[in-house]
Amino acid sequence: MADQITKRSVNYSQWYNDLVVKADLAEQSPVRGCMVIKPYGYAIWEKMQRVLDAKFKETGAQNAYFPLFIPKSFFSREAEHVAGFAKECAVVTHHRLMNDPEGKGVVVDPSSKLEEELIVRPTSETIIWSTYKNWIKSWRDLPIMCNQWANVVRWEMRTRLFLRTAEFLWQEGHTAHATSEEAQAEARTMVEVYADFARNYMAMPVIVGHKSPNERFAGALDTLTIEAMMQDGKALQAGTSHFLGQNFAKSFDVQYADKEGKLQYVWATSWGVSTRLMGALVMAHGDDNGLVLPPELAPIEVVMVPIYKTEEEHSAIIAKMNQVKSALEAAGHSVKIDDRDTLRPGFKFAEWELKGVPVRLAIGGRDLQNGTVEVHRRDTLEKTTISIDGVDKFIEDLLVAIQKNIYAKAMAFRDSRIQKCDSWEEFKEKIQQGYFLLCHWDGTAETEQKIKDETKATIRCIPVDSVVCKEEGVDIYSGKPSHERVVFAISY
Amino acid sequence: MADQITKRSVNYSQWYNDLVVKADLAEQSPVRGCMVIKPYGYAIWEKMQRVLDAKFKETGAQNAYFPLFIPKSFFSREAEHVAGFAKECAVVTHHRLMNDPEGKGVVVDPSSKLEEELIVRPTSETIIWSTYKNWIKSWRDLPIMCNQWANVVRWEMRTRLFLRTAEFLWQEGHTAHATSEEAQAEARTMVEVYADFARNYMAMPVIVGHKSPNERFAGALDTLTIEAMMQDGKALQAGTSHFLGQNFAKSFDVQYADKEGKLQYVWATSWGVSTRLMGALVMAHGDDNGLVLPPELAPIEVVMVPIYKTEEEHSAIIAKMNQVKSALEAAGHSVKIDDRDTLRPGFKFAEWELKGVPVRLAIGGRDLQNGTVEVHRRDTLEKTTISIDGVDKFIEDLLVAIQKNIYAKAMAFRDSRIQKCDSWEEFKEKIQQGYFLLCHWDGTAETEQKIKDETKATIRCIPVDSVVCKEEGVDIYSGKPSHERVVFAISY
């Protein structure tokens, strides 16, 4: 099973693609750049959704749904936004097909041309702010905090499953506030929700920081990001939260009457994570045997494989397994007994390893006699044989330990690949080796661009609340003065 | 509040539109035929989704996700399907915008024309069966039971919020089976899941039956439907489940090797319900004061309104309310204390009535002294004052009683508007008055069409398992022999 997967050391990128396909997470569809998310992959996404959705609601956000299509003219309203988003997109121009007069299937009916073209949403700020205009009259109507789970389309030329696809699934929160301070606090709250999710559910360490002006969302005054390190040392932007100022309120003329009756433009944020998180999850923890899923997001936390010679043994083993399964399910865990009779245990072991199930139990004839069970953990590939009495409690603790260990391992790896750097020669060398480098930067887009041109490295973020980074120094490239270090890396 | 809503007796259709908008369920968007589903409306949809999703999974279905776009050529493959679906649709022809050379905003870049146009999915049979071809090799791969929660687009000329919109949200299940019998059983299972959901959660009686060949889904050999009666006596098709035979398997060449190694075409079903259910819910139960939500689907089951003169009274009342709230929440109910200090109790009462909250509690100064609470139920508009001790238990029972009563009321109404009919004169009269008529039909599309042309009535379904309908007779229109009665009505 694992031999169908390229080893990470041979070709990390191919390893990723192999793994996504072989572990049944997703595959290319017949439509350019669009993927099919398969049931096993979608089950992980659903677990992510459940956790995030509850967290959003705790902050006061409510779900809603806005149209898939956006009139072309809306994109002309916010100048930066159109430059950033409206360029590569899916454009609907007609609304009817007809039988080909020459009898060759169906063709577009030229008489069905739309007066104004519709854009399949690449993001929904414009359509949502045009709606908020009707919802907001007075300070009493604020704040508004809506989130939507939706599909969006960006016409990417080079696509990779989950990481960059033409259509992807995401959530986008759009909030409206009376003051700048409140909106900025909201943007900060949400990036912390994402960071908490990344760390405690995805078991993935992330750095929270501001994007440099150059890397901001089109139309934002500030973009907060969580940046994760993949096993090749590259950075992956895993979620962003934007303070949009009054840009969209002004573009769509959204004003509220304050307590004194004076009209004020509304302050905005937007924030989102996407199915890209699936790619991050695969790349952060997977190994040459397949996926390694943190228990918090594993569709199946425990799989059980019976090993038997006789029908009698089989019945006795399955009965035992059902007991353990019931106990674990009662404690809220998802358990599967793999009782397929057409496959050998070794094949099943490899398959569930490939699929990253955190814990595997096997019970054989000898275990039956001895009252034991073999427990295998996916993260370390360690096996132990323990007494079947109390195995459910043992597994519950083990799942907690695995979740922690996966995080600790990723953290240790990142620690080994992150360092301060003050030498341009060292920078060029280490950045190619896959390091996050904490460097001084003079704050200009010019220097940022030169560094990118020479090394492909970009400023991933300017960390928030970092005691490590707040120090005086000189820009690693230009030598100009700098007051704090920023994170440079090559990114996905 | 309610005076902003047209009375049902004045204009039922306008009542519906007013209610959907005023109760904050949905509104028209700037995009023709597309709606915005507002947070309160979406919260109801989410409750529907949770219940249905769990039911689907109980049957063995898994969620997955397939592309939004379908290559135009796919629609030419299944002859009936293209006629039914590909005609009025959103067609993507280009993938880039550019700045207008004349400086007027953005225009479509003519050089970005797609080689093959993409259709925004009106339904996903074609893209899914082209994918299943890669998933199915042998009988071991079957059955496949996938569901997706998605948006779809059908270019409707006349739209109505929830009932008929260009874009709508739905779920579509697509299953693949080894035998015709298994596929037919699946189609039947799923229509029963829908019927159970309609009856026990939406509190809406439905008739389960087969569509006449004329009214089948494009490409199906059999379409099962649930048909509900609205308060104007019109029928609303609330969910369908299709037995697709081998049509799509043949169009996309999906074959499996059976146990003898012989290649066989796969058998298919598809089944779906949409945000149309939201419209059904409104129309089935609402009254002139607003929505009447069955507790099982109400985002807020109990609302509490404090009535006070002093700050001291206010604190004491809120403290009592929090006690009751905690007890109800512990029992799994959703409760809201409406403590807005800018609105008067009477306004709040009207607002929550408009929004259909099943139970309203009010506590005033006198209640505090007497240890009582006023309980108001939305379905009957009855008020009672009871002791606050044990009020949580009282409300729990009341919620059950309300759920039952809403169903019973809808059932009694339907019973009063459904009857056998054997006279063409009576048929024409009653059908205009909003009746479901059980009539003999000769089984021909010709008669069906003539009846439709003369009266607008269509065959809603041929009921399954009906002892009432199974009897010999003669067609109400043609006089030809018939073996069972079918349901005629005017529909949405």
Side-chain angles (χ1 to χ4, degrees):
Chain A
M1 190 97 23
D3 55 2
Q4 298 169 27
I5 298 174
T6 307
K7 291 203 185 313
R8 285 169 296 176
S9 56
V10 173
N11 184 336
Y12 186 78
S13 175
Q14 188 60 45
W15 164 81
Y16 172 78
N17 287 338
D18 288 352
L19 191 43
V20 168
V21 172
K22 297 292 176 191
D24 280 338
L25 299 182
E27 65 185 36
Q28 296 291 354
S29 81
V31 185
R32 211 196 124 283
C34 294
M35 63 183 161
V36 171
I37 305 178
K38 300 180 78 172
Y40 192 63
Y42 201 85
I44 300 173
W45 177 240
E46 276 185 301
K47 280 206 134 184
M48 289 182 171
Q49 286 185 303
R50 287 272 163 124
V51 175
L52 286 166
D53 195 68
K55 284 180 183 287
F56 299 158
K57 285 173 178 160
E58 274 171 31
T59 72
Q62 295 181 296
N63 287 333
Y65 189 76
F66 297 87
L68 172 67
F69 299 127
I70 301 178
K72 192 190 65 181
S73 59
F74 281 30
F75 281 98
S76 309
R77 299 229 200 149
E78 215 290 324
E80 287 185 41
H81 195 67
V82 64
F85 281 107
K87 290 304 164 65
E88 297 295 335
C89 55
V91 187
V92 176
T93 57
H94 291 76
H95 68 78
R96 193 182 305 124
L97 297 178
M98 61 179 203
N99 290 322
D100 183 354
E102 293 168 29
K104 291 175 188 162
V106 287
V107 294
V108 176
D109 183 344
S111 75
S112 71
K113 192 167 191 307
L114 298 175
E115 274 185 46
E116 179 179 6
E117 295 88 350
L118 297 173
I119 312 304
V120 179
R121 62 182 164 217
T123 181
S124 301
E125 276 78 6
T126 58
I127 191 86
I128 288 178
W129 279 86
S130 82
T131 306
Y132 280 179
K133 182 174 169 55
N134 304 322
W135 295 4
I136 297 169
K137 304 288 172 215
S138 119
W139 61 273
R140 285 185 198 85
D141 301 320
L142 296 173
I144 291 178
M145 299 161 77
C146 284
N147 174 62
Q148 77 173 355
W149 292 94
N151 52 346
V152 286
V153 173
R154 298 174 186 178
W155 207 266
E156 302 285 352
M157 279 301 139
R158 285 185 210 162
T159 62
R160 291 190 71 187
L161 291 167
F162 290 125
L163 297 176
R164 194 176 295 278
T165 48
E167 181 192 18
F168 57 89
L169 303 184
W170 79 344
Q171 60 67 218
E172 47 182 324
H174 296 270
T175 69
H177 306 269
T179 65
S180 173
E181 292 68 34
E182 206 183 300
Q184 290 185 63
E186 167 72 8
R188 181 64 189 268
T189 297
M190 297 316 297
V191 82
E192 292 295 346
V193 165
Y194 292 152
D196 174 68
F197 175 76
R199 290 167 185 150
N200 296 316
Y201 293 85
M202 295 180 70
M204 187 171 78
V206 288
I207 299 173
V208 178
H210 302 274
K211 284 288 180 188
S212 63
N214 221 20
E215 299 272 335
R216 271 178 203 148
F217 177 78
L221 299 192
D222 185 20
T223 287
L224 288 155
T225 180
I226 53 170
E227 298 283 327
M229 182 187 283
M230 301 294 101
Q231 289 179 70
D232 56 357
K234 283 193 191 168
L236 189 137
Q237 176 180 306
T240 49
S241 179
H242 315 291
F243 169 55
L244 302 171
Q246 296 175 311
N247 287 348
F248 287 94
K250 286 180 177 165
S251 300
F252 289 90
D253 191 30
V254 187
Q255 298 187 71
Y256 73 97
D258 66 16
K259 288 187 182 176
E260 284 74 45
K262 223 180 100 192
L263 283 181
Q264 306 260 16
Y265 283 108
V266 177
W267 299 83
T269 81
S270 66
W271 29 272
V273 294
S274 72
T275 36
R276 187 168 223 229
L277 290 179
M278 295 288 298
L281 192 68
V282 172
M283 285 209 296
H285 308 307
D287 64 21
D288 290 344
N289 294 331
L291 297 178
V292 175
L293 295 178
E296 291 283 0
L297 296 177
I300 302 166
E301 290 166 81
V302 181
V303 68
M304 304 188 190
V305 178
I307 304 171
Y308 54 92
K309 295 205 180 85
T310 65
E311 196 40 57
E312 207 182 351
E313 255 180 22
H314 176 250
S315 306
I317 291 169
I318 295 296
K320 285 277 180 209
M321 286 182 165
N322 273 318
Q323 280 173 22
V324 181
K325 183 170 189 266
S326 299
L328 285 169
E329 283 177 345
H333 299 288
S334 54
V335 182
K336 184 183 175 72
I337 298 175
D338 183 355
D339 198 22
R340 290 175 291 178
D341 59 6
T342 52
L343 301 170
R344 292 154 60 143
F347 183 92
K348 294 180 185 177
F349 288 2
E351 179 172 331
W352 296 116
E353 267 176 46
L354 173 62
K355 292 198 163 183
V357 174
V359 175
R360 183 179 78 220
L361 292 193
I363 301 181
R366 187 169 300 174
D367 290 311
L368 266 190
Q369 288 169 6
N370 300 344
T372 56
V373 50
E374 185 187 272
V375 181
H376 174 271
R377 56 188 280 186
R378 178 62 184 90
D379 59 336
T380 59
L381 300 174
E382 287 166 355
K383 262 191 273 197
T384 24
T385 296
I386 61 163
S387 164
I388 198 159
D389 298 326
V391 68
D392 52 316
K393 186 75 188 69
F394 179 87
I395 290 171
E396 283 214 73
D397 294 341
L398 184 59
L399 288 167
V400 174
I402 291 172
Q403 181 80 26
K404 279 189 189 157
N405 180 55
I406 295 176
Y407 183 70
K409 198 176 159 191
M411 183 63 105
F413 175 74
R414 194 188 72 176
D415 284 347
S416 75
R417 295 285 197 106
I418 190 167
Q419 65 168 64
K420 289 188 183 181
C421 177
D422 294 312
S423 140
W424 179 242
E425 287 311 310
E426 189 189 3
F427 183 98
K428 286 190 287 187
E429 196 184 307
K430 291 265 163 155
I431 215 79
Q432 298 310 326
Q433 291 167 10
Y435 273 74
F436 278 23
L437 297 176
L438 304 176
C439 306
H440 281 287
W441 169 53
D442 63 18
T444 70
E446 195 192 346
T447 302
E448 190 180 8
Q449 188 62 47
K450 281 181 181 161
I451 293 173
K452 187 174 177 183
D453 291 343
E454 280 194 41
T455 65
K456 289 187 185 155
T458 50
I459 297 174
R460 301 317 305 155
C461 69
I462 302 154
V464 296
D465 305 333
S466 168
V467 285
V468 177
C469 293
K470 285 276 177 226
E471 57 182 21
E472 298 299 312
V474 296
D475 183 292
I476 189 157
Y477 188 84
S478 70
K480 289 180 191 162
S482 151
H483 310 296
E484 67 185 320
R485 292 174 185 273
V486 302
V487 180
F488 277 94
I490 294 177
S491 77
Y492 276 92
Chain B
M1 192 99 18
D3 55 3
Q4 298 169 26
I5 297 173
T6 307
K7 289 201 187 314
R8 287 168 294 175
S9 56
V10 174
N11 184 337
Y12 185 77
S13 175
Q14 189 59 46
W15 164 82
Y16 172 78
N17 287 339
D18 289 351
L19 191 42
V20 168
V21 172
K22 297 291 177 192
D24 280 337
L25 300 182
E27 64 185 36
Q28 295 292 355
S29 81
V31 185
R32 210 196 125 282
C34 293
M35 63 182 160
V36 172
I37 306 179
K38 299 181 78 173
Y40 193 64
Y42 202 85
I44 300 173
W45 177 240
E46 276 185 301
K47 281 206 134 182
M48 290 183 170
Q49 285 185 302
R50 286 272 164 126
V51 175
L52 286 167
D53 195 67
K55 285 181 183 286
F56 299 159
K57 285 174 178 160
E58 274 171 32
T59 72
Q62 295 179 295
N63 287 333
Y65 189 75
F66 298 87
L68 172 67
F69 299 127
I70 302 178
K72 193 190 66 181
S73 58
F74 280 30
F75 282 98
S76 308
R77 300 230 199 148
E78 216 291 324
E80 284 185 44
H81 195 66
V82 65
F85 281 104
K87 289 305 164 66
E88 297 295 334
C89 55
V91 187
V92 177
T93 57
H94 292 73
H95 68 79
R96 193 183 305 124
L97 298 178
M98 60 180 203
N99 291 322
D100 184 354
E102 294 169 28
K104 292 176 187 161
V106 287
V107 294
V108 177
D109 182 344
S111 76
S112 71
K113 192 168 193 303
L114 298 176
E115 272 184 46
E116 180 178 6
E117 296 88 351
L118 297 173
I119 311 305
V120 179
R121 63 183 163 216
T123 181
S124 301
E125 277 76 7
T126 58
I127 191 85
I128 288 178
W129 278 86
S130 81
T131 305
Y132 281 179
K133 180 174 170 57
N134 304 320
W135 295 3
I136 298 170
K137 304 288 171 213
S138 116
W139 62 272
R140 286 185 198 86
D141 301 320
L142 296 173
I144 291 177
M145 300 161 76
C146 284
N147 175 61
Q148 78 173 353
W149 292 94
N151 53 345
V152 287
V153 172
R154 298 176 185 177
W155 207 267
E156 302 284 353
M157 281 300 139
R158 286 184 208 163
T159 62
R160 291 191 70 187
L161 291 167
F162 290 124
L163 297 176
R164 194 175 296 275
T165 47
E167 181 192 16
F168 57 89
L169 303 184
W170 80 343
Q171 59 68 219
E172 47 181 325
H174 296 270
T175 69
H177 305 267
T179 66
S180 172
E181 293 68 33
E182 206 184 300
Q184 290 185 64
E186 167 72 9
R188 182 64 189 267
T189 297
M190 296 317 297
V191 82
E192 292 296 345
V193 164
Y194 292 151
D196 173 68
F197 175 75
R199 290 166 185 151
N200 296 316
Y201 292 84
M202 296 181 68
M204 186 171 78
V206 289
I207 299 173
V208 177
H210 302 273
K211 285 289 181 189
S212 63
N214 222 19
E215 300 271 336
R216 272 180 203 146
F217 176 79
L221 299 192
D222 186 19
T223 287
L224 287 154
T225 179
I226 54 171
E227 299 282 328
M229 181 186 282
M230 302 295 100
Q231 290 180 67
D232 56 357
K234 282 193 191 168
L236 189 137
Q237 176 181 306
T240 48
S241 180
H242 315 291
F243 168 56
L244 302 171
Q246 296 174 311
N247 287 347
F248 287 93
K250 285 180 177 165
S251 301
F252 290 89
D253 191 31
V254 187
Q255 298 188 70
Y256 72 97
D258 66 17
K259 289 188 185 177
E260 284 75 44
K262 223 179 101 193
L263 284 179
Q264 305 261 15
Y265 283 109
V266 176
W267 299 84
T269 81
S270 66
W271 29 273
V273 295
S274 73
T275 36
R276 188 168 222 227
L277 291 179
M278 295 286 299
L281 192 69
V282 173
M283 287 209 295
H285 308 307
D287 64 23
D288 290 344
N289 294 331
L291 297 178
V292 175
L293 295 178
E296 292 282 1
L297 296 177
I300 302 166
E301 289 167 82
V302 181
V303 68
M304 305 189 189
V305 179
I307 304 171
Y308 55 93
K309 294 205 178 87
T310 65
E311 196 41 54
E312 207 182 350
E313 255 181 23
H314 176 250
S315 304
I317 290 169
I318 295 295
K320 285 275 180 209
M321 285 183 165
N322 273 318
Q323 281 173 22
V324 181
K325 184 170 187 266
S326 299
L328 285 169
E329 284 177 344
H333 299 288
S334 53
V335 182
K336 185 184 173 71
I337 298 175
D338 184 355
D339 197 22
R340 290 174 292 177
D341 59 5
T342 51
L343 301 170
R344 293 155 58 145
F347 184 93
K348 294 180 185 178
F349 289 1
E351 179 173 330
W352 297 117
E353 266 177 47
L354 172 61
K355 292 198 163 184
V357 175
V359 174
R360 183 178 78 222
L361 293 194
I363 302 183
R366 185 168 300 173
D367 290 310
L368 264 190
Q369 289 169 5
N370 299 346
T372 56
V373 51
E374 186 186 272
V375 181
H376 174 272
R377 55 188 281 185
R378 178 62 185 91
D379 59 334
T380 60
L381 300 173
E382 288 166 355
K383 261 190 274 196
T384 25
T385 296
I386 62 163
S387 164
I388 197 160
D389 298 326
V391 69
D392 52 315
K393 185 74 190 72
F394 179 86
I395 290 172
E396 282 214 75
D397 294 342
L398 184 59
L399 288 167
V400 173
I402 291 173
Q403 181 80 26
K404 278 189 189 156
N405 181 54
I406 295 176
Y407 182 71
K409 198 176 160 191
M411 183 64 105
F413 175 75
R414 193 187 74 176
D415 284 348
S416 75
R417 294 285 196 105
I418 190 168
Q419 64 168 64
K420 289 187 183 182
C421 178
D422 294 310
S423 139
W424 180 240
E425 287 310 310
E426 190 190 4
F427 182 100
K428 286 189 287 186
E429 197 183 305
K430 290 268 162 147
I431 215 80
Q432 298 310 326
Q433 292 168 8
Y435 273 73
F436 277 22
L437 298 176
L438 304 175
C439 306
H440 281 286
W441 168 53
D442 64 18
T444 69
E446 195 192 346
T447 302
E448 190 181 9
Q449 188 61 46
K450 283 181 180 163
I451 293 173
K452 186 174 178 183
D453 291 344
E454 279 193 43
T455 65
K456 290 188 184 150
T458 50
I459 298 175
R460 301 317 305 157
C461 69
I462 304 154
V464 296
D465 306 334
S466 169
V467 285
V468 177
C469 292
K470 285 278 176 222
E471 57 181 22
E472 298 298 313
V474 296
D475 182 290
I476 191 158
Y477 188 86
S478 70
K480 289 180 190 162
S482 150
H483 310 295
E484 66 185 320
R485 291 173 186 275
V486 302
V487 181
F488 277 95
I490 294 175
S491 78
Y492 277 91

